[in-house]
Amino acid sequence: MSKWYIGEGDHNDIVISTRIRLARNLADYPFPSRLDNKSKIEVNEKVRDALEGKEKLNYTELKTLTRAQIVSLAERHLISPEFASNSDGRALLLSENEDISIMLCEDDHIRLQVMKSGLDLQGAYELADKIDTEINESLKYAFDERLGYLTQYPTNLGTGMRASVMLHLPALTQNGQINTLASTVSKLGLTIRGSYGEGTAMGDLYQLSNQVSLGISEKEAIDNLKTITLQLAAQERSAREEMAKSIVTEDSVFRAYGTLKSARLLSTKEFMNLISKVRFGAVCGMLKIDLKTINELMVSMQPATINAFVGRTLTADERDVERAKIVRERL
């Protein structure tokens, strides 16, 4: 079954994926930070049982997974790095194609996440809302008429929703406009950062998300994010068109492609830098490579995901050899 990141959605030359995340807590229990492991497991099983027969989700207690498997989930954006940092009393509900991921007993009892390919905020929200309703039919949420959904952190009060898109912005990165854009979008209630957190825009991948969840409806937050995403996409295409005219850019694309097709050692950083250039070349029509292949490699060639794939912990050098080998075969 095809994973969310391998699909082809709207504006997929720039928007790799869309994510809707809802933070929820059960009214009958304190926040996870005040619960012992036994109570956390009780909460986890109640949420699992609430979705029994409604959604096809695999239930896994985090402590049953290896370290590589847990970190790989974070690399694939299926869980947060914070969730991966501690497995005590935590569990995960995950769909077969990984578009639905529910983190249980992180900062909140429930972090429900839906991922879609390309720009599909409405589709992701509708599925998240459906699952949210299914849970709420069996379990009572902590809710206040004035503050909305009650969450561990005040920043998530209100709708409890974080909507985000993952963007590939090589042209805006290269022409230095990213910092200006970051300042501009923050005034509009959004934040842009590297896809693996602050200051980590490996492969020119960025996450654009809403910052405000209180005093604003889900629809307003989604509409605002979609408008800004389309504006950024237009700016990236314009900068890309200009850059693509340069023989220097064309040369760097083909050099990157040549290196990936023949390298015997590839570090994560070098791979992400090169694959970003190849993706740029593909969307500009310089290279005939399927975006599905590129997107899949961007996700699957992360360190822990390679370890999980081979089934053992490789040294950094062994991993770089394995990464180069897989990339050569795939390209």
Side-chain angles (χ1 to χ4, degrees):
M1 188 179 282
S2 206
K3 307 295 186 200
W4 61 264
Y5 48 81
I6 304 175
E8 295 172 326
D10 289 347
H11 302 277
N12 74 329
D13 58 325
I14 289 159
V15 187
I16 291 186
S17 63
T18 297
R19 180 177 72 181
I20 294 286
R21 197 194 72 201
L22 303 176
R24 300 286 186 260
N25 287 283
L26 305 188
D28 302 335
Y29 292 83
F31 292 133
S33 59
R34 304 280 304 281
L35 291 176
D36 58 22
N37 275 358
K38 184 169 174 278
S39 302
K40 285 179 182 176
I41 290 164
E42 204 175 291
V43 167
N44 299 343
E45 290 177 348
K46 281 195 168 188
V47 179
R48 177 199 65 192
D49 294 348
L51 289 169
E52 191 84 46
K54 295 173 183 172
E55 301 292 335
K56 285 186 180 174
L57 302 171
N58 296 314
Y59 177 82
T60 308
E61 289 189 17
L62 229 55
K63 67 179 182 186
T64 64
L65 301 177
T66 65
R67 190 74 204 132
Q69 287 172 325
I70 292 171
V71 178
S72 172
L73 288 166
E75 288 175 349
R76 278 141 56 211
H77 304 282
L78 301 173
I79 63 174
S80 67
E82 207 292 311
F83 190 71
S85 69
N86 182 0
S87 58
D88 288 346
R90 293 179 175 180
L92 179 70
L93 283 163
L94 188 64
S95 63
E96 203 64 43
N97 69 345
E98 301 181 351
D99 63 337
I100 302 164
S101 159
I102 305 175
M103 293 177 275
L104 299 172
C105 280
E106 186 198 34
D107 293 327
D108 296 295
H109 296 143
I110 300 165
R111 288 282 177 94
L112 162 59
Q113 173 179 291
V114 170
M115 307 276 276
K116 293 282 185 187
S117 293
L119 182 59
D120 188 9
L121 284 159
Q122 194 55 40
Y125 175 71
E126 283 171 8
L127 180 53
D129 186 50
K130 171 180 169 281
I131 299 165
D132 186 39
T133 303
E134 287 169 349
I135 297 171
N136 202 17
E137 282 168 357
S138 305
L139 303 170
K140 189 184 174 198
Y141 285 147
F143 185 83
D144 179 88
E145 287 302 327
R146 192 169 56 88
L147 297 172
Y149 291 101
L150 301 180
T151 53
Q152 166 88 3
Y153 293 109
T155 46
N156 287 323
L157 286 171
T159 62
M161 185 185 80
R162 281 280 179 276
S164 63
V165 287
M166 196 193 299
L167 307 167
H168 184 227
L169 303 173
L172 292 176
T173 302
Q174 193 162 319
N175 70 14
Q177 282 186 52
I178 281 292
N179 291 339
T180 313
L181 288 169
S183 168
T184 305
V185 300
S186 71
K187 292 167 189 164
L188 301 166
L190 301 173
T191 180
I192 189 166
R193 58 184 192 151
S195 65
Y196 288 98
E198 303 296 344
T200 52
M202 278 198 307
D204 306 316
L205 294 175
Y206 297 87
Q207 187 173 291
L208 178 70
S209 59
N210 70 306
Q211 277 183 301
V212 183
S213 60
L214 185 61
I216 182 173
S217 71
E218 289 94 337
K219 185 183 185 307
E220 287 169 320
I222 286 170
D223 287 349
N224 187 36
L225 179 58
K226 185 175 182 179
T227 301
I228 304 304
T229 299
L230 291 174
Q231 286 174 10
L232 284 179
Q235 288 181 47
E236 171 67 22
R237 288 187 187 109
S238 173
R240 188 170 74 196
E241 213 173 293
E242 208 50 47
M243 272 176 59
K245 294 173 186 171
S246 161
I247 188 69
V248 175
T249 301
E250 192 176 338
D251 179 66
S252 78
V253 166
F254 279 93
R255 279 175 187 268
Y257 185 47
T259 303
L260 288 177
K261 283 186 74 173
S262 56
R264 263 52 187 170
L265 282 170
L266 278 175
S267 69
T268 310
K269 191 175 178 182
E270 184 186 18
F271 164 73
M272 290 299 284
N273 179 38
L274 295 171
I275 200 76
S276 175
K277 289 178 179 177
V278 166
R279 195 178 196 281
F280 177 94
V283 296
C284 288
M286 295 178 195
L287 297 170
K288 295 281 182 280
I289 305 177
D290 188 13
L291 283 185
K292 284 184 184 180
T293 302
I294 297 171
N295 290 354
E296 198 270 332
L297 284 171
M298 278 179 146
V299 172
S300 64
M301 290 299 98
Q302 299 304 316
T305 303
I306 292 175
N307 283 343
F309 175 72
V310 299
R312 64 188 177 92
T313 302
L314 304 174
T315 66
D317 287 346
E318 285 174 333
R319 208 165 49 229
D320 292 351
V321 169
E322 187 67 25
R323 182 182 290 110
K325 176 173 162 280
I326 295 169
V327 171
R328 286 199 310 275
E329 288 168 358
R330 293 299 307 279
L331 293 180

